[in-house]
Short mmCIF file of all heavy atoms in Angstrom, two decimals:
data_model
loop_
_atom_site.label_atom_id
_atom_site.label_comp_id
_atom_site.label_asym_id
_atom_site.label_seq_id
_atom_site.Cartn_x
_atom_site.Cartn_y
_atom_site.Cartn_z
N VAL X 1 -0.38 34.70 -171.59
CA VAL X 1 -0.90 35.54 -170.51
C VAL X 1 0.17 36.61 -170.21
O VAL X 1 1.32 36.26 -169.94
CB VAL X 1 -1.16 34.71 -169.24
CG1 VAL X 1 -1.62 35.59 -168.11
CG2 VAL X 1 -2.17 33.61 -169.54
N LYS X 2 -0.23 37.84 -170.28
CA LYS X 2 0.70 38.96 -169.91
C LYS X 2 1.01 38.96 -168.46
O LYS X 2 0.11 38.67 -167.63
CB LYS X 2 0.09 40.31 -170.37
CG LYS X 2 -0.33 40.40 -171.79
CD LYS X 2 0.88 40.34 -172.68
CE LYS X 2 0.50 40.48 -174.13
NZ LYS X 2 1.09 39.52 -174.98
N LYS X 3 2.26 39.26 -168.10
CA LYS X 3 2.66 39.25 -166.72
C LYS X 3 1.82 40.18 -165.86
O LYS X 3 1.59 41.34 -166.25
CB LYS X 3 4.13 39.67 -166.66
CG LYS X 3 4.68 39.49 -165.25
CD LYS X 3 6.19 39.78 -165.26
CE LYS X 3 6.72 39.53 -163.85
NZ LYS X 3 8.12 39.69 -163.81
N GLY X 4 1.25 39.68 -164.76
CA GLY X 4 0.48 40.48 -163.88
C GLY X 4 -0.94 40.73 -164.26
O GLY X 4 -1.64 41.46 -163.60
N SER X 5 -1.42 40.15 -165.34
CA SER X 5 -2.76 40.35 -165.80
C SER X 5 -3.57 39.08 -165.76
O SER X 5 -3.04 38.00 -165.61
CB SER X 5 -2.81 40.92 -167.21
OG SER X 5 -2.36 39.93 -168.14
N ALA X 6 -4.90 39.21 -165.83
CA ALA X 6 -5.76 38.09 -165.81
C ALA X 6 -5.64 37.33 -167.15
O ALA X 6 -5.30 37.92 -168.16
CB ALA X 6 -7.22 38.53 -165.59
N PRO X 7 -5.93 36.02 -167.12
CA PRO X 7 -5.90 35.26 -168.37
C PRO X 7 -6.93 35.80 -169.38
O PRO X 7 -7.97 36.35 -168.97
CB PRO X 7 -6.23 33.83 -167.97
CG PRO X 7 -6.26 33.81 -166.47
CD PRO X 7 -6.29 35.24 -166.01
N PRO X 8 -6.77 35.63 -170.63
CA PRO X 8 -7.73 36.01 -171.62
C PRO X 8 -9.08 35.31 -171.41
O PRO X 8 -9.09 34.22 -170.79
CB PRO X 8 -7.15 35.59 -173.00
CG PRO X 8 -5.70 35.23 -172.71
CD PRO X 8 -5.59 35.00 -171.28
N LYS X 9 -10.15 35.88 -171.91
CA LYS X 9 -11.45 35.33 -171.75
C LYS X 9 -11.57 33.82 -172.18
O LYS X 9 -12.18 33.07 -171.47
CB LYS X 9 -12.53 36.20 -172.52
CG LYS X 9 -12.64 37.58 -172.01
CD LYS X 9 -13.52 37.64 -170.84
CE LYS X 9 -13.78 39.05 -170.45
NZ LYS X 9 -13.82 39.27 -169.07
N TRP X 10 -10.99 33.50 -173.27
CA TRP X 10 -11.07 32.10 -173.75
C TRP X 10 -10.43 31.15 -172.78
O TRP X 10 -10.91 30.04 -172.60
CB TRP X 10 -10.53 31.94 -175.16
CG TRP X 10 -9.06 32.14 -175.34
CD1 TRP X 10 -8.38 33.31 -175.59
CD2 TRP X 10 -8.03 31.13 -175.20
NE1 TRP X 10 -7.03 33.07 -175.63
CE2 TRP X 10 -6.86 31.75 -175.42
CE3 TRP X 10 -8.04 29.74 -174.94
CZ2 TRP X 10 -5.59 31.03 -175.34
CZ3 TRP X 10 -6.88 29.06 -174.93
CH2 TRP X 10 -5.64 29.74 -175.11
N MET X 11 -9.39 31.57 -172.09
CA MET X 11 -8.74 30.68 -171.07
C MET X 11 -9.63 30.57 -169.87
O MET X 11 -9.68 29.53 -169.30
CB MET X 11 -7.35 31.23 -170.75
CG MET X 11 -6.30 31.02 -171.78
SD MET X 11 -4.75 31.68 -171.22
CE MET X 11 -3.70 30.29 -171.55
N GLN X 12 -10.28 31.72 -169.54
CA GLN X 12 -11.15 31.65 -168.37
C GLN X 12 -12.33 30.74 -168.59
O GLN X 12 -12.72 30.08 -167.69
CB GLN X 12 -11.57 33.10 -168.03
CG GLN X 12 -10.42 33.94 -167.44
CD GLN X 12 -10.88 35.32 -166.99
OE1 GLN X 12 -11.97 35.49 -166.51
NE2 GLN X 12 -9.95 36.26 -167.14
N ARG X 13 -12.83 30.72 -169.85
CA ARG X 13 -13.90 29.81 -170.17
C ARG X 13 -13.46 28.35 -169.99
O ARG X 13 -14.30 27.48 -169.77
CB ARG X 13 -14.42 30.07 -171.61
CG ARG X 13 -15.22 31.32 -171.70
CD ARG X 13 -15.94 31.41 -173.00
NE ARG X 13 -16.56 32.74 -173.11
CZ ARG X 13 -16.24 33.65 -173.99
NH1 ARG X 13 -15.32 33.41 -174.94
NH2 ARG X 13 -16.83 34.81 -174.03
N LEU X 14 -12.19 28.04 -170.27
CA LEU X 14 -11.66 26.72 -170.11
C LEU X 14 -11.30 26.41 -168.62
O LEU X 14 -10.86 25.30 -168.32
CB LEU X 14 -10.41 26.58 -170.98
CG LEU X 14 -10.68 26.59 -172.51
CD1 LEU X 14 -9.35 26.54 -173.30
CD2 LEU X 14 -11.61 25.44 -172.89
N GLY X 15 -11.54 27.32 -167.73
CA GLY X 15 -11.29 27.12 -166.30
C GLY X 15 -10.08 27.73 -165.73
O GLY X 15 -9.82 27.62 -164.53
N LEU X 16 -9.30 28.48 -166.54
CA LEU X 16 -8.08 29.15 -165.95
C LEU X 16 -8.45 30.56 -165.52
O LEU X 16 -8.19 31.53 -166.25
CB LEU X 16 -6.92 29.11 -166.95
CG LEU X 16 -5.62 29.67 -166.38
CD1 LEU X 16 -5.07 28.70 -165.30
CD2 LEU X 16 -4.58 29.74 -167.49
N ASN X 17 -9.14 30.65 -164.42
CA ASN X 17 -9.50 32.00 -163.92
C ASN X 17 -8.32 32.55 -163.12
O ASN X 17 -7.31 31.89 -162.94
CB ASN X 17 -10.77 31.89 -163.04
CG ASN X 17 -10.60 30.93 -161.89
OD1 ASN X 17 -9.54 30.81 -161.32
ND2 ASN X 17 -11.65 30.20 -161.54
N PRO X 18 -8.40 33.85 -162.67
CA PRO X 18 -7.25 34.41 -161.97
C PRO X 18 -6.81 33.59 -160.73
O PRO X 18 -5.62 33.50 -160.51
CB PRO X 18 -7.77 35.80 -161.57
CG PRO X 18 -8.70 36.14 -162.69
CD PRO X 18 -9.44 34.83 -162.97
N ALA X 19 -7.76 33.03 -160.00
CA ALA X 19 -7.35 32.27 -158.82
C ALA X 19 -6.61 31.01 -159.22
O ALA X 19 -5.59 30.68 -158.60
CB ALA X 19 -8.62 31.91 -158.02
N ARG X 20 -7.03 30.37 -160.27
CA ARG X 20 -6.35 29.13 -160.69
C ARG X 20 -5.01 29.50 -161.35
O ARG X 20 -4.02 28.73 -161.22
CB ARG X 20 -7.19 28.39 -161.72
CG ARG X 20 -8.31 27.64 -161.02
CD ARG X 20 -8.83 26.48 -161.83
NE ARG X 20 -9.82 25.75 -161.07
CZ ARG X 20 -11.05 25.58 -161.53
NH1 ARG X 20 -11.41 25.99 -162.66
NH2 ARG X 20 -11.90 24.93 -160.77
N LEU X 21 -4.94 30.67 -161.98
CA LEU X 21 -3.63 31.10 -162.49
C LEU X 21 -2.60 31.31 -161.36
O LEU X 21 -1.51 30.86 -161.50
CB LEU X 21 -3.82 32.39 -163.33
CG LEU X 21 -2.54 32.94 -163.91
CD1 LEU X 21 -1.88 31.99 -164.87
CD2 LEU X 21 -2.85 34.28 -164.65
N ASP X 22 -3.08 31.92 -160.31
CA ASP X 22 -2.24 32.10 -159.16
C ASP X 22 -1.78 30.71 -158.56
O ASP X 22 -0.64 30.56 -158.18
CB ASP X 22 -2.90 32.91 -158.03
CG ASP X 22 -3.11 34.37 -158.39
OD1 ASP X 22 -2.40 34.84 -159.31
OD2 ASP X 22 -3.96 35.00 -157.77
N GLY X 23 -2.71 29.76 -158.53
CA GLY X 23 -2.37 28.42 -158.14
C GLY X 23 -1.39 27.77 -159.01
O GLY X 23 -0.46 27.05 -158.55
N LEU X 24 -1.52 27.99 -160.31
CA LEU X 24 -0.63 27.41 -161.30
C LEU X 24 0.76 28.00 -161.08
O LEU X 24 1.76 27.19 -161.09
CB LEU X 24 -1.10 27.70 -162.72
CG LEU X 24 -0.25 27.21 -163.87
CD1 LEU X 24 -0.30 25.70 -163.99
CD2 LEU X 24 -0.69 27.84 -165.17
N VAL X 25 0.85 29.26 -160.91
CA VAL X 25 2.14 29.95 -160.66
C VAL X 25 2.78 29.40 -159.40
O VAL X 25 3.96 29.02 -159.39
CB VAL X 25 1.98 31.48 -160.63
CG1 VAL X 25 3.27 32.15 -160.08
CG2 VAL X 25 1.56 32.05 -161.89
N SER X 26 1.99 29.27 -158.35
CA SER X 26 2.52 28.71 -157.12
C SER X 26 3.02 27.29 -157.23
O SER X 26 4.06 26.89 -156.72
CB SER X 26 1.45 28.72 -155.98
OG SER X 26 1.09 30.07 -155.75
N LYS X 27 2.23 26.49 -157.99
CA LYS X 27 2.56 25.08 -158.21
C LYS X 27 3.92 24.99 -158.95
O LYS X 27 4.75 24.17 -158.63
CB LYS X 27 1.47 24.42 -158.98
CG LYS X 27 1.50 22.95 -159.01
CD LYS X 27 1.06 22.39 -157.72
CE LYS X 27 0.76 20.93 -157.80
NZ LYS X 27 0.64 20.26 -156.53
N PHE X 28 4.10 25.81 -159.99
CA PHE X 28 5.38 25.80 -160.73
C PHE X 28 6.51 26.33 -159.91
O PHE X 28 7.68 25.92 -160.13
CB PHE X 28 5.21 26.45 -162.11
CG PHE X 28 4.79 25.47 -163.16
CD1 PHE X 28 3.41 25.41 -163.55
CD2 PHE X 28 5.70 24.71 -163.81
CE1 PHE X 28 3.01 24.58 -164.48
CE2 PHE X 28 5.29 23.82 -164.81
CZ PHE X 28 3.94 23.77 -165.12
N ASP X 29 6.24 27.31 -159.02
CA ASP X 29 7.29 27.84 -158.16
C ASP X 29 7.80 26.74 -157.21
O ASP X 29 9.02 26.63 -156.97
CB ASP X 29 6.76 29.00 -157.30
CG ASP X 29 6.64 30.30 -158.10
OD1 ASP X 29 7.21 30.36 -159.23
OD2 ASP X 29 5.93 31.18 -157.60
N VAL X 30 6.94 25.86 -156.73
CA VAL X 30 7.32 24.89 -155.73
C VAL X 30 7.71 23.58 -156.37
O VAL X 30 8.71 22.95 -156.03
CB VAL X 30 6.12 24.64 -154.74
CG1 VAL X 30 6.48 23.53 -153.79
CG2 VAL X 30 5.81 25.90 -154.00
N GLU X 31 6.93 23.12 -157.39
CA GLU X 31 7.14 21.81 -157.97
C GLU X 31 7.33 21.84 -159.52
O GLU X 31 7.04 20.81 -160.16
CB GLU X 31 5.92 20.89 -157.68
CG GLU X 31 5.64 20.75 -156.17
CD GLU X 31 4.46 19.82 -155.93
OE1 GLU X 31 4.59 18.63 -156.26
OE2 GLU X 31 3.44 20.32 -155.46
N GLY X 32 7.84 22.89 -160.05
CA GLY X 32 7.97 23.02 -161.45
C GLY X 32 8.81 21.91 -162.11
O GLY X 32 8.42 21.38 -163.14
N GLY X 33 9.91 21.60 -161.50
CA GLY X 33 10.77 20.52 -162.03
C GLY X 33 10.06 19.19 -162.11
O GLY X 33 10.10 18.47 -163.07
N LYS X 34 9.41 18.85 -161.01
CA LYS X 34 8.73 17.57 -160.92
C LYS X 34 7.58 17.53 -161.96
O LYS X 34 7.36 16.54 -162.64
CB LYS X 34 8.12 17.36 -159.51
CG LYS X 34 7.44 16.07 -159.39
CD LYS X 34 7.10 15.81 -157.90
CE LYS X 34 5.69 16.35 -157.58
NZ LYS X 34 5.22 15.98 -156.25
N LEU X 35 6.85 18.61 -162.13
CA LEU X 35 5.79 18.68 -163.11
C LEU X 35 6.28 18.49 -164.53
O LEU X 35 5.67 17.77 -165.32
CB LEU X 35 5.01 20.01 -163.01
CG LEU X 35 4.15 20.21 -161.72
CD1 LEU X 35 3.68 21.67 -161.68
CD2 LEU X 35 2.99 19.27 -161.72
N ILE X 36 7.43 19.10 -164.83
CA ILE X 36 7.99 19.02 -166.20
C ILE X 36 8.44 17.57 -166.44
O ILE X 36 8.11 17.02 -167.54
CB ILE X 36 9.14 20.02 -166.38
CG1 ILE X 36 8.55 21.41 -166.45
CG2 ILE X 36 9.91 19.67 -167.63
CD1 ILE X 36 9.51 22.51 -166.48
N VAL X 37 9.14 17.01 -165.49
CA VAL X 37 9.59 15.59 -165.66
C VAL X 37 8.42 14.64 -165.86
O VAL X 37 8.42 13.86 -166.80
CB VAL X 37 10.49 15.17 -164.52
CG1 VAL X 37 10.80 13.67 -164.57
CG2 VAL X 37 11.81 15.98 -164.51
N ILE X 38 7.42 14.73 -165.03
CA ILE X 38 6.26 13.87 -165.11
C ILE X 38 5.53 14.15 -166.43
O ILE X 38 5.15 13.21 -167.17
CB ILE X 38 5.30 14.04 -163.95
CG1 ILE X 38 6.00 13.48 -162.66
CG2 ILE X 38 3.97 13.34 -164.18
CD1 ILE X 38 5.23 13.81 -161.37
N GLY X 39 5.32 15.39 -166.79
CA GLY X 39 4.59 15.70 -168.05
C GLY X 39 5.37 15.21 -169.28
O GLY X 39 4.76 14.67 -170.16
N LYS X 40 6.61 15.36 -169.28
CA LYS X 40 7.44 14.95 -170.47
C LYS X 40 7.47 13.39 -170.50
O LYS X 40 7.38 12.84 -171.65
CB LYS X 40 8.87 15.48 -170.41
CG LYS X 40 8.90 16.95 -170.48
CD LYS X 40 9.56 17.54 -171.63
CE LYS X 40 10.61 16.80 -172.38
NZ LYS X 40 10.46 16.88 -173.80
N LEU X 41 7.64 12.74 -169.38
CA LEU X 41 7.72 11.25 -169.42
C LEU X 41 6.39 10.60 -169.70
O LEU X 41 6.38 9.49 -170.18
CB LEU X 41 8.36 10.75 -168.17
CG LEU X 41 9.84 11.15 -167.92
CD1 LEU X 41 10.42 10.60 -166.67
CD2 LEU X 41 10.73 10.75 -169.14
N THR X 42 5.27 11.26 -169.34
CA THR X 42 4.00 10.67 -169.72
C THR X 42 3.60 10.90 -171.12
O THR X 42 2.71 10.25 -171.65
CB THR X 42 2.83 11.21 -168.84
OG1 THR X 42 2.76 12.60 -169.02
CG2 THR X 42 3.01 10.90 -167.36
N HIS X 43 4.30 11.74 -171.82
CA HIS X 43 4.15 12.03 -173.22
C HIS X 43 2.81 12.77 -173.52
O HIS X 43 2.80 13.68 -174.29
CB HIS X 43 4.30 10.80 -174.09
CG HIS X 43 4.37 11.05 -175.53
ND1 HIS X 43 5.33 11.81 -176.12
CD2 HIS X 43 3.55 10.67 -176.54
CE1 HIS X 43 5.09 11.91 -177.42
NE2 HIS X 43 3.98 11.24 -177.67
N SER X 44 1.74 12.30 -172.96
CA SER X 44 0.40 12.85 -173.26
C SER X 44 0.25 14.24 -172.67
O SER X 44 -0.37 15.09 -173.28
CB SER X 44 -0.72 11.97 -172.72
OG SER X 44 -0.64 10.73 -173.37
N ALA X 45 0.76 14.44 -171.47
CA ALA X 45 0.57 15.69 -170.78
C ALA X 45 1.68 16.74 -171.08
O ALA X 45 1.64 17.81 -170.63
CB ALA X 45 0.51 15.50 -169.29
N GLY X 46 2.65 16.30 -171.89
CA GLY X 46 3.80 17.15 -172.16
C GLY X 46 3.49 18.52 -172.67
O GLY X 46 4.00 19.56 -172.11
#
């Protein structure tokens, strides 16, 4: 995803629309470290 632009069409079809992209960015701004640790330790979501 290019900085400041909407996700490509194929990502939007998978559910990553601009609003969800903003939510993803916010989530990683606030809880990025926790998400990475949980994702890596669960192995499946890594």
Side-chain angles (χ1 to χ4, degrees):
V1 179
K2 302 293 181 228
K3 188 174 182 175
S5 67
K9 296 278 187 217
W10 67 270
M11 286 180 129
Q12 290 184 34
R13 287 191 188 116
L14 293 174
L16 187 64
N17 57 36
R20 285 203 177 121
L21 179 60
D22 290 341
L24 179 71
V25 170
S26 298
K27 195 76 164 166
F28 270 96
D29 283 345
V30 175
E31 301 181 68
K34 183 170 90 173
L35 290 170
I36 289 170
V37 170
I38 290 170
K40 296 244 333 136
L41 294 180
T42 59
H43 188 62
S44 299

